[in-house]
Amino acid sequence: MSDKDLRATSRALPIALLRARETVMAQIRPMLADTGVTEQQWRVLRVLAEDGGMDPTDIAEKSCLLLPSLTRILKFLEENALVTRKRHETDGRRHVVEITDKGRGLIDRNAPASNRIYAELEKSFGTKKMNRLLDLLDELAHLKL
Amino acid sequence: MSDKDLRATSRALPIALLRARETVMAQIRPMLADTGVTEQQWRVLRVLAEDGGMDPTDIAEKSCLLLPSLTRILKFLEENALVTRKRHETDGRRHVVEITDKGRGLIDRNAPASNRIYAELEKSFGTKKMNRLLDLLDELAHLKL
DNA sequence: GCAATATGATTAACATGTTAAATATAAACG
DNA sequence: CGTTTATATTTAACATGTTAATCATATTGC
């Protein structure tokens, strides 16, 4: 392949990652539709349920969102009483966000369905391959460049 | 793990795919900034350069875009003379989109930089693992569910 | 031929992605 | 102490993601 030609799109990593994600999300979206929150809002709630209260910067990092997106998402979640937000006690620049009981309830109600979907996906794809894929993705994500 | 608990976000496939993609795109974005088109516009041009003229439905499929997004993207590309659009000769519902010389020039000018980035990524991650990852992603994307 | 249905594409509405600029508070430093 | 610099968050502007509705043209079945 000359350096002037591009590889086939089928072997382009960004597109391959997108396509795989699309297949996975197609399975998950019906469940999300039931929750009443978007995929991203769901991710934020999950992160907060998993790790407790934290500031927007950490939430963004853990939920794979950029801060401007997160600002809007937190606004929605707060207006719907799924999270609370208060100033950091000692650092006036920072905020502390916590999930509410209502938010936790939303997670708990939908966790079984989410796990069911995941189990089917793993069964269909193969546990071994799934773990191998997750390992490779994790390694790629943490690649030092 | 109880069915009421969710897996750790670090082992959640949608998030793992996102994080890996973010690492890859961080390498590619500076190049894209030089091209003057967005990531999605670049994908559309690549697909058209690779496979020739086709209708929006096929472009959307190959470039991993939804039709409403593609409609706006084609509008931009056409306004900037990077693609042309005409009616299908026999089917009035369909359009045929083709890349222009200007569009092809944009691709050609940036292909070497793109390939350079990809080569570095592959060198750092390992050719074998890269191919294994692409294979797994392709298999996942085509999973029958 | 014509009504019913299907298909290709666009539009609408709202949420998010992305980059740059703005705002507010802290920390550093002379 | 006040000025500069750094950090946390938000706002702004524009592009895209997502679902539902709409519009135009084709196809089907009667």
Side-chain angles (χ1 to χ4, degrees):
Chain A
M1 188 176 75
S2 155
D3 75 324
K4 290 188 176 180
D5 294 322
L6 287 168
R7 81 201 59 258
T9 50
S10 59
R11 298 304 274 183
L13 198 46
I15 292 182
L17 289 164
L18 263 188
R19 288 185 176 147
R21 190 160 195 281
E22 181 49 35
T23 296
V24 174
M25 289 314 300
Q27 305 305 310
I28 297 177
R29 281 201 192 95
M31 180 274 285
L32 281 173
D34 286 341
T35 67
V37 297
T38 66
E39 178 195 338
Q40 293 84 348
Q41 291 161 2
W42 171 257
R43 280 214 304 278
V44 170
L45 290 177
R46 274 187 68 166
V47 164
L48 289 174
E50 184 174 311
D51 291 346
M54 68 185 96
D55 63 33
T57 298
D58 287 342
I59 298 174
E61 159 71 26
K62 298 206 180 213
S63 60
C64 270
L65 293 166
L66 295 178
L67 274 171
S69 296
L70 184 59
T71 294
R72 291 173 296 213
I73 290 167
L74 290 178
K75 182 170 180 292
F76 173 91
L77 293 176
E78 192 178 16
E79 283 170 358
N80 287 274
L82 297 167
V83 307
T84 58
R85 185 154 41 166
K86 54 186 176 192
R87 288 234 152 182
H88 192 279
E89 294 190 357
T90 60
D91 187 339
R93 293 167 303 184
R94 297 165 64 189
H95 288 173
V96 178
V97 181
E98 289 186 28
I99 191 170
T100 63
D101 287 346
K102 184 180 174 191
R104 208 176 294 275
L106 189 152
I107 294 275
D108 290 343
R109 275 197 310 282
N110 294 286
S114 171
N115 286 331
R116 207 153 41 231
I117 294 165
Y118 206 92
E120 276 174 32
L121 203 58
E122 190 167 324
K123 183 180 173 192
S124 176
F125 190 52
T127 300
K128 214 167 169 178
K129 275 193 278 191
M130 181 69 89
N131 283 321
R132 177 82 175 122
L133 176 57
L134 284 167
D135 288 343
L136 284 168
L137 290 172
D138 189 63
E139 189 173 350
L140 177 57
H142 295 97
L143 206 57
K144 294 289 171 265
L145 298 158
Chain B
M1 190 177 73
S2 155
D3 74 323
K4 290 187 175 179
D5 294 322
L6 288 168
R7 84 200 53 260
T9 50
S10 59
R11 297 306 275 183
L13 199 44
I15 292 182
L17 289 164
L18 263 189
R19 289 185 175 147
R21 191 160 195 281
E22 181 50 34
T23 296
V24 174
M25 290 313 300
Q27 305 305 308
I28 297 177
R29 280 199 193 99
M31 181 274 284
L32 281 173
D34 285 341
T35 67
V37 297
T38 66
E39 177 193 338
Q40 292 85 348
Q41 292 162 0
W42 172 257
R43 281 213 303 278
V44 170
L45 290 177
R46 275 188 67 165
V47 164
L48 289 174
E50 182 173 312
D51 292 345
M54 67 184 94
D55 63 33
T57 299
D58 287 342
I59 298 174
E61 159 71 26
K62 298 204 179 214
S63 59
C64 271
L65 293 166
L66 295 179
L67 273 172
S69 295
L70 184 59
T71 294
R72 292 173 295 212
I73 290 167
L74 289 177
K75 182 170 181 292
F76 173 91
L77 294 176
E78 193 178 16
E79 284 170 356
N80 288 273
L82 297 168
V83 307
T84 59
R85 187 156 38 167
K86 54 187 177 192
R87 289 233 152 185
H88 191 278
E89 294 189 358
T90 61
D91 188 339
R93 294 168 301 185
R94 298 166 63 190
H95 288 171
V96 177
V97 182
E98 290 185 26
I99 191 169
T100 63
D101 287 344
K102 183 179 175 190
R104 208 175 294 274
L106 189 151
I107 293 276
D108 290 343
R109 274 198 310 282
N110 293 285
S114 171
N115 287 331
R116 207 153 40 232
I117 293 165
Y118 205 92
E120 277 174 33
L121 203 57
E122 189 167 323
K123 183 180 172 192
S124 176
F125 190 52
T127 300
K128 213 167 170 179
K129 275 193 279 191
M130 180 70 89
N131 283 322
R132 177 80 176 124
L133 175 57
L134 283 167
D135 290 342
L136 284 168
L137 290 172
D138 189 63
E139 189 174 348
L140 177 57
H142 294 98
L143 206 58
K144 294 289 171 263
L145 299 157

Short mmCIF file of all heavy atoms in Angstrom, two decimals, chain A residues 92-120:
data_model
loop_
_atom_site.label_atom_id
_atom_site.label_comp_id
_atom_site.label_asym_id
_atom_site.label_seq_id
_atom_site.Cartn_x
_atom_site.Cartn_y
_atom_site.Cartn_z
N GLY A 92 -13.83 26.60 46.73
CA GLY A 92 -14.99 27.25 46.13
C GLY A 92 -15.14 27.06 44.64
O GLY A 92 -16.19 27.36 44.07
N ARG A 93 -14.09 26.56 43.99
CA ARG A 93 -14.19 26.33 42.54
C ARG A 93 -14.92 25.04 42.24
O ARG A 93 -15.53 24.88 41.17
CB ARG A 93 -12.78 26.24 41.93
CG ARG A 93 -11.99 27.50 41.96
CD ARG A 93 -10.53 27.23 41.63
NE ARG A 93 -9.95 26.25 42.54
CZ ARG A 93 -8.66 25.90 42.51
NH1 ARG A 93 -7.86 26.41 41.60
NH2 ARG A 93 -8.18 25.03 43.36
N ARG A 94 -14.86 24.13 43.19
CA ARG A 94 -15.35 22.78 42.92
C ARG A 94 -16.76 22.55 43.44
O ARG A 94 -17.23 23.23 44.35
CB ARG A 94 -14.40 21.75 43.55
CG ARG A 94 -13.04 21.81 42.94
CD ARG A 94 -12.03 21.06 43.80
NE ARG A 94 -12.34 19.64 43.86
CZ ARG A 94 -11.72 18.80 44.68
NH1 ARG A 94 -10.81 19.24 45.51
NH2 ARG A 94 -12.04 17.53 44.66
N HIS A 95 -17.42 21.59 42.81
CA HIS A 95 -18.75 21.16 43.26
C HIS A 95 -18.67 19.70 43.67
O HIS A 95 -17.77 18.98 43.27
CB HIS A 95 -19.77 21.33 42.13
CG HIS A 95 -20.10 22.76 41.84
ND1 HIS A 95 -20.88 23.15 40.79
CD2 HIS A 95 -19.75 23.89 42.49
CE1 HIS A 95 -20.99 24.46 40.79
NE2 HIS A 95 -20.31 24.94 41.80
N VAL A 96 -19.64 19.28 44.47
CA VAL A 96 -19.73 17.87 44.83
C VAL A 96 -21.11 17.37 44.40
O VAL A 96 -22.13 17.95 44.79
CB VAL A 96 -19.53 17.63 46.33
CG1 VAL A 96 -19.70 16.16 46.65
CG2 VAL A 96 -18.17 18.14 46.76
N VAL A 97 -21.12 16.36 43.57
CA VAL A 97 -22.38 15.82 43.06
C VAL A 97 -22.63 14.47 43.72
O VAL A 97 -21.73 13.65 43.83
CB VAL A 97 -22.31 15.64 41.53
CG1 VAL A 97 -23.62 15.10 41.00
CG2 VAL A 97 -21.93 16.96 40.87
N GLU A 98 -23.87 14.25 44.13
CA GLU A 98 -24.23 12.95 44.72
C GLU A 98 -25.52 12.44 44.11
O GLU A 98 -26.40 13.21 43.72
CB GLU A 98 -24.40 13.09 46.24
CG GLU A 98 -23.07 13.32 46.95
CD GLU A 98 -23.23 13.32 48.47
OE1 GLU A 98 -24.17 12.66 48.96
OE2 GLU A 98 -22.43 13.99 49.14
N ILE A 99 -25.61 11.14 44.02
CA ILE A 99 -26.84 10.54 43.52
C ILE A 99 -27.88 10.53 44.64
O ILE A 99 -27.55 10.39 45.81
CB ILE A 99 -26.57 9.10 43.01
CG1 ILE A 99 -27.78 8.57 42.23
CG2 ILE A 99 -26.18 8.18 44.15
CD1 ILE A 99 -27.47 7.26 41.49
N THR A 100 -29.14 10.74 44.30
CA THR A 100 -30.21 10.74 45.30
C THR A 100 -30.80 9.34 45.41
O THR A 100 -30.46 8.44 44.63
CB THR A 100 -31.33 11.69 44.89
OG1 THR A 100 -31.90 11.22 43.66
CG2 THR A 100 -30.81 13.10 44.70
N ASP A 101 -31.68 9.16 46.37
CA ASP A 101 -32.38 7.88 46.50
C ASP A 101 -33.19 7.59 45.23
O ASP A 101 -33.26 6.46 44.77
CB ASP A 101 -33.31 7.90 47.71
CG ASP A 101 -32.52 7.83 49.02
OD1 ASP A 101 -31.32 7.49 48.96
OD2 ASP A 101 -33.10 8.12 50.08
N LYS A 102 -33.78 8.65 44.68
CA LYS A 102 -34.55 8.47 43.45
C LYS A 102 -33.64 7.99 42.32
O LYS A 102 -34.00 7.11 41.56
CB LYS A 102 -35.21 9.81 43.07
CG LYS A 102 -36.12 9.72 41.86
CD LYS A 102 -36.74 11.08 41.51
CE LYS A 102 -37.54 11.02 40.22
NZ LYS A 102 -37.93 12.37 39.74
N GLY A 103 -32.45 8.58 42.25
CA GLY A 103 -31.50 8.17 41.22
C GLY A 103 -31.06 6.73 41.41
O GLY A 103 -30.99 5.95 40.47
N ARG A 104 -30.80 6.39 42.67
CA ARG A 104 -30.38 5.02 42.96
C ARG A 104 -31.51 4.04 42.65
O ARG A 104 -31.26 2.92 42.16
CB ARG A 104 -29.97 4.92 44.43
CG ARG A 104 -28.94 3.85 44.72
CD ARG A 104 -28.52 3.89 46.18
NE ARG A 104 -27.79 5.10 46.54
CZ ARG A 104 -26.48 5.24 46.36
NH1 ARG A 104 -25.77 4.25 45.84
NH2 ARG A 104 -25.88 6.35 46.70
N GLY A 105 -32.72 4.48 42.90
CA GLY A 105 -33.87 3.62 42.60
C GLY A 105 -33.96 3.34 41.11
O GLY A 105 -34.25 2.20 40.70
N LEU A 106 -33.71 4.36 40.31
CA LEU A 106 -33.74 4.18 38.86
C LEU A 106 -32.71 3.15 38.42
O LEU A 106 -33.00 2.28 37.58
CB LEU A 106 -33.49 5.53 38.18
CG LEU A 106 -33.68 5.62 36.67
CD1 LEU A 106 -34.08 7.02 36.27
CD2 LEU A 106 -32.42 5.21 35.91
N ILE A 107 -31.51 3.24 38.99
CA ILE A 107 -30.46 2.27 38.67
C ILE A 107 -30.90 0.87 39.10
O ILE A 107 -30.83 -0.08 38.32
CB ILE A 107 -29.16 2.63 39.42
CG1 ILE A 107 -28.58 3.94 38.91
CG2 ILE A 107 -28.15 1.49 39.30
CD1 ILE A 107 -27.73 3.81 37.70
N ASP A 108 -31.34 0.74 40.32
CA ASP A 108 -31.69 -0.58 40.86
C ASP A 108 -32.81 -1.25 40.06
O ASP A 108 -32.78 -2.45 39.83
CB ASP A 108 -32.10 -0.45 42.33
CG ASP A 108 -30.90 -0.11 43.22
OD1 ASP A 108 -29.77 -0.29 42.75
OD2 ASP A 108 -31.12 0.34 44.37
N ARG A 109 -33.79 -0.46 39.66
CA ARG A 109 -34.91 -1.02 38.90
C ARG A 109 -34.46 -1.61 37.58
O ARG A 109 -35.04 -2.57 37.08
CB ARG A 109 -35.97 0.06 38.61
CG ARG A 109 -36.97 0.29 39.70
CD ARG A 109 -38.19 1.03 39.17
NE ARG A 109 -37.86 2.24 38.41
CZ ARG A 109 -37.50 3.39 38.98
NH1 ARG A 109 -37.42 3.50 40.29
NH2 ARG A 109 -37.22 4.45 38.23
N ASN A 110 -33.43 -1.00 36.99
CA ASN A 110 -33.04 -1.40 35.64
C ASN A 110 -31.79 -2.28 35.57
O ASN A 110 -31.47 -2.80 34.50
CB ASN A 110 -32.84 -0.15 34.78
CG ASN A 110 -34.14 0.60 34.55
OD1 ASN A 110 -34.98 0.17 33.78
ND2 ASN A 110 -34.34 1.71 35.26
N ALA A 111 -31.14 -2.44 36.70
CA ALA A 111 -29.92 -3.25 36.72
C ALA A 111 -30.15 -4.68 36.24
O ALA A 111 -29.37 -5.20 35.43
CB ALA A 111 -29.30 -3.23 38.11
N PRO A 112 -31.22 -5.35 36.68
CA PRO A 112 -31.43 -6.74 36.23
C PRO A 112 -31.56 -6.84 34.71
O PRO A 112 -30.96 -7.73 34.10
CB PRO A 112 -32.74 -7.13 36.92
CG PRO A 112 -32.80 -6.29 38.14
CD PRO A 112 -32.20 -4.98 37.73
N ALA A 113 -32.30 -5.93 34.11
CA ALA A 113 -32.46 -5.97 32.65
C ALA A 113 -31.12 -5.74 31.97
O ALA A 113 -30.78 -6.41 30.99
CB ALA A 113 -33.47 -4.91 32.22
N SER A 114 -30.36 -4.81 32.50
CA SER A 114 -29.05 -4.53 31.94
C SER A 114 -28.15 -5.76 32.01
O SER A 114 -27.48 -6.12 31.03
CB SER A 114 -28.40 -3.37 32.71
OG SER A 114 -27.06 -3.20 32.32
N ASN A 115 -28.17 -6.41 33.13
CA ASN A 115 -27.33 -7.60 33.30
C ASN A 115 -27.79 -8.74 32.40
O ASN A 115 -26.97 -9.51 31.90
CB ASN A 115 -27.34 -8.04 34.77
CG ASN A 115 -26.52 -7.11 35.64
OD1 ASN A 115 -25.57 -6.50 35.18
ND2 ASN A 115 -26.91 -6.99 36.90
N ARG A 116 -29.09 -8.84 32.21
CA ARG A 116 -29.62 -9.88 31.33
C ARG A 116 -29.09 -9.69 29.91
O ARG A 116 -28.65 -10.63 29.25
CB ARG A 116 -31.16 -9.80 31.34
CG ARG A 116 -31.84 -11.10 31.05
CD ARG A 116 -33.23 -11.15 31.69
NE ARG A 116 -33.97 -9.90 31.60
CZ ARG A 116 -34.55 -9.29 32.64
NH1 ARG A 116 -34.48 -9.81 33.83
NH2 ARG A 116 -35.21 -8.15 32.49
N ILE A 117 -29.15 -8.45 29.44
CA ILE A 117 -28.65 -8.14 28.10
C ILE A 117 -27.17 -8.47 27.98
O ILE A 117 -26.73 -9.07 27.00
CB ILE A 117 -28.88 -6.64 27.78
CG1 ILE A 117 -30.37 -6.35 27.71
CG2 ILE A 117 -28.18 -6.26 26.49
CD1 ILE A 117 -30.69 -4.86 27.76
N TYR A 118 -26.43 -8.06 29.00
CA TYR A 118 -25.00 -8.31 28.97
C TYR A 118 -24.70 -9.79 28.94
O TYR A 118 -23.81 -10.25 28.21
CB TYR A 118 -24.33 -7.65 30.17
CG TYR A 118 -22.89 -7.31 29.89
CD1 TYR A 118 -22.55 -6.06 29.40
CD2 TYR A 118 -21.89 -8.25 30.06
CE1 TYR A 118 -21.24 -5.74 29.12
CE2 TYR A 118 -20.58 -7.95 29.77
CZ TYR A 118 -20.25 -6.69 29.30
OH TYR A 118 -18.95 -6.40 29.02
N ALA A 119 -25.45 -10.57 29.71
CA ALA A 119 -25.23 -12.02 29.76
C ALA A 119 -25.49 -12.66 28.41
O ALA A 119 -24.75 -13.54 27.96
CB ALA A 119 -26.14 -12.63 30.83
N GLU A 120 -26.53 -12.20 27.73
CA GLU A 120 -26.85 -12.74 26.40
C GLU A 120 -25.74 -12.42 25.41
O GLU A 120 -25.34 -13.25 24.60
CB GLU A 120 -28.17 -12.15 25.89
CG GLU A 120 -29.39 -12.89 26.42
CD GLU A 120 -30.68 -12.18 26.01
OE1 GLU A 120 -30.70 -11.58 24.91
OE2 GLU A 120 -31.65 -12.23 26.79
#
